[in-house]
């Protein structure tokens, strides 16, 4: 998997100017990723960048801006005026943050516009391979016996990772102790070090640890099984809970000021890349599912996701302001 990451990063080389880039005063297309390098969104962004470079003939730069559960990156893109900056968007800054913070530096429904729906990177709950928790039921029994003492790592306060863990606790009727990190990489480091008992993160992020035998997935927040992770049960199956299918979408969004024609062209190019058989294969290796939708499809997903997390936040009384 490391070789795959390095290979994708190496593909982001300079290339001749494309017709799409010509509309942005010869500026390279910049894809802003809201997390540190190495996570699912970062790897997907670098793959898309490499393919767009070849397809459009223009330079593509991946810019990692981690912090505040994606808010730092979303704000930077919302305020971008160069006409060549887009966001590798996920729920954290778009559908979760508005439910948790009364004052955001941007309005995700007015300052950003959907470009394309790219993938679903299903969430998982996982432990170290030598954990005493052999099943999710084991972990939840322990959490019921020791309220607030069983820890789970997330990729940050206010992220989908954080709220998916909260959703699990609410549905199971237990209190889990949330431990936030700045992205999947540091969270996984502490999981391996034994500082936290579990992690709630994307299939793409946990996959390298599973492949190396260092981690075990107790359940996936998906409808279907994920063979790449050793075919673990879904959370619904493992804990006999309903409503545990959580689509963790990845999409591309642009500043609202970006010309509509430019958004349309970028959307079409992204869909072409997304629909390539090799793209589906690459994403499957990452534990992601290629979803491939246009602006309207992404807009619908955002609306549904916003309602889901509004319910979780209200029920849990979750605040991070």
């Amino acid at each position: 998997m490391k070789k795959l990451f390095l290979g994708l990063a190496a593909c982001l080389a300079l290339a001749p100017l494309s017709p799409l880039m010509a509309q942005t005063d010869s500026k390279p297309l910049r894809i802003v990723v809201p997390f540190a390098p190495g996570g699912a969104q970062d790897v997907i962004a670098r793959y898309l960048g490499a393919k767009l470079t070849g397809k459009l003939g223009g330079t593509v730069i991946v810019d990692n801006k981690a912090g505040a559960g994606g808010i730092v990156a979303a704000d930077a893109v919302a305020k971008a005026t160069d006409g060549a900056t887009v966001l590798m968007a996920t729920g954290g800054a778009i559908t979760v943050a508005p439910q948790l913070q009364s004052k955001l530096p941007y309005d995700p429904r007015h300052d950003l516009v959907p470009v394309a729906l790219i993938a679903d990177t299903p969430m998982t709950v996982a432990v170290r391979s030598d954990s005493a928790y052999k099943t999710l039921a084991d972990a939840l029994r322990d959490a019921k016996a020791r309220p607030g003492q069983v820890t789970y790592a997330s990729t940050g306060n206010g992220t989908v990772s954080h709220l998916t863990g909260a959703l699990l606790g609410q549905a199971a009727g237990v209190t889990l102790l949330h431990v936030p990190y700045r992205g999947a990489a540091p969270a996984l480091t502490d999981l391996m070090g034994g500082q936290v008992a579990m992690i709630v993160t994307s299939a793409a992020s946990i996959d390298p640890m599973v492949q190396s035998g260092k981690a075990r997935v107790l359940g996936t927040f998906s409808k279907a099984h994920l063979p790449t992770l050793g075919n673990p049960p879904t959370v619904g199956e493992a804990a006999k809970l309903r409503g545990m299918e959580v689509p963790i979408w990845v999409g591309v969004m642009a500043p609202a000021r970006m010309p509509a024609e430019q958004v349309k062209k970028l959307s079409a190019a992204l869909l072409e890349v997304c629909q390539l058989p090799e793209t589906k294969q690459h994403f499957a290796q990452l534990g992601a599912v290629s979803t491939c939708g246009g602006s309207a499809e992404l807009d619908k997903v955002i609306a549904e996701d916003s309602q889901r997390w509004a319910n979780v936040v209200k029920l849990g009384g979750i605040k991070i302001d």
Side-chain angles (χ1 to χ4, degrees), residues 83-152:
T85 296
V86 297
L87 177 68
M88 193 83 259
T90 59
I94 306 302
T95 60
V96 174
Q99 319 306 329
L100 291 169
Q101 301 192 40
S102 56
K103 294 181 180 179
L104 284 173
Y106 59 93
D107 183 337
R109 296 298 288 177
H110 294 94
D111 297 337
L112 294 163
V113 295
V115 178
L117 180 63
I118 302 298
D120 177 8
T121 58
M123 274 294 173
T124 69
V125 55
V127 294
R128 290 198 326 179
S129 57
D130 61 355
S131 170
Y133 301 146
K134 302 306 179 185
T135 67
L136 182 56
D138 291 341
L140 295 178
R141 275 195 296 269
D142 191 25
K144 181 164 282 191
R146 300 187 299 130
Q149 296 184 57
V150 175
T151 55
Y152 79 92

Side-chain angles (χ1 to χ4, degrees), residues 44-78:
I44 289 173
R46 291 179 187 279
Y47 174 83
L48 293 176
K51 289 299 182 183
L52 287 175
T53 295
K55 180 171 288 293
L56 298 174
T59 304
V60 181
I61 297 171
V62 173
D63 183 6
N64 296 87
K65 286 186 178 297
I71 291 174
V72 171
D75 184 45
V77 174

Side-chain angles (χ1 to χ4, degrees), residues 204-223:
S205 295
I206 197 66
D207 182 76
M209 295 297 181
V210 172
Q211 300 304 325
S212 65
K214 296 178 180 178
R216 203 160 24 84
V217 174
L218 299 180
T220 62
F221 293 85
S222 58
K223 293 181 180 179

Side-chain angles (χ1 to χ4, degrees), residues 27-308:
K27 296 182 179 70
L29 178 67
R30 184 165 64 112
I31 303 176
V32 178
V33 178
F35 300 107
Q41 290 77 24
D42 176 67
V43 175
I44 289 173
R46 291 179 187 279
Y47 174 83
L48 293 176
K51 289 299 182 183
L52 287 175
T53 295
K55 180 171 288 293
L56 298 174
T59 304
V60 181
I61 297 171
V62 173
D63 183 6
N64 296 87
K65 286 186 178 297
I71 291 174
V72 171
D75 184 45
V77 174
K79 292 180 170 59
T81 59
D82 60 1
T85 296
V86 297
L87 177 68
M88 193 83 259
T90 59
I94 306 302
T95 60
V96 174
Q99 319 306 329
L100 291 169
Q101 301 192 40
S102 56
K103 294 181 180 179
L104 284 173
Y106 59 93
D107 183 337
R109 296 298 288 177
H110 294 94
D111 297 337
L112 294 163
V113 295
V115 178
L117 180 63
I118 302 298
D120 177 8
T121 58
M123 274 294 173
T124 69
V125 55
V127 294
R128 290 198 326 179
S129 57
D130 61 355
S131 170
Y133 301 146
K134 302 306 179 185
T135 67
L136 182 56
D138 291 341
L140 295 178
R141 275 195 296 269
D142 191 25
K144 181 164 282 191
R146 300 187 299 130
Q149 296 184 57
V150 175
T151 55
Y152 79 92
S154 82
T155 55
N157 273 320
T159 62
V160 176
S161 170
H162 170 194
L163 290 200
T164 301
L167 173 64
L168 174 61
Q170 290 172 9
V174 302
T175 301
L176 300 172
L177 179 60
H178 171 229
V179 183
Y181 290 84
R182 288 175 62 88
L188 285 166
T189 296
D190 272 12
L191 177 72
M192 292 300 105
Q195 280 74 34
V196 288
M198 301 186 292
I199 186 170
V200 176
T201 190
S202 70
S205 295
I206 197 66
D207 182 76
M209 295 297 181
V210 172
Q211 300 304 325
S212 65
K214 296 178 180 178
R216 203 160 24 84
V217 174
L218 299 180
T220 62
F221 293 85
S222 58
K223 293 181 180 179
H225 290 175
L226 301 179
T228 57
L229 296 179
N231 208 38
T234 67
V235 169
E237 293 169 337
K240 295 181 173 55
L241 298 172
R242 294 178 177 271
M244 293 292 102
E245 298 81 24
V246 182
I248 308 301
W249 58 272
V250 178
V252 174
M253 301 187 78
R257 61 175 57 87
M258 182 177 282
E261 186 61 26
Q262 191 172 325
V263 171
K264 184 177 179 181
K265 287 185 177 182
L266 181 56
S267 179
L270 284 165
L271 285 178
E272 284 186 27
V273 172
C274 187
Q275 291 165 353
L276 292 171
E278 61 191 277
T279 297
K280 295 181 180 181
Q281 182 179 359
H282 273 297
F283 286 4
Q285 291 173 347
L286 298 171
V289 178
S290 180
T291 48
C292 303
S295 297
E297 286 81 2
L298 178 54
D299 193 55
K300 180 181 179 182
V301 166
I302 288 173
E304 293 173 347
D305 212 37
S306 296
Q307 187 59 57
R308 175 185 298 106

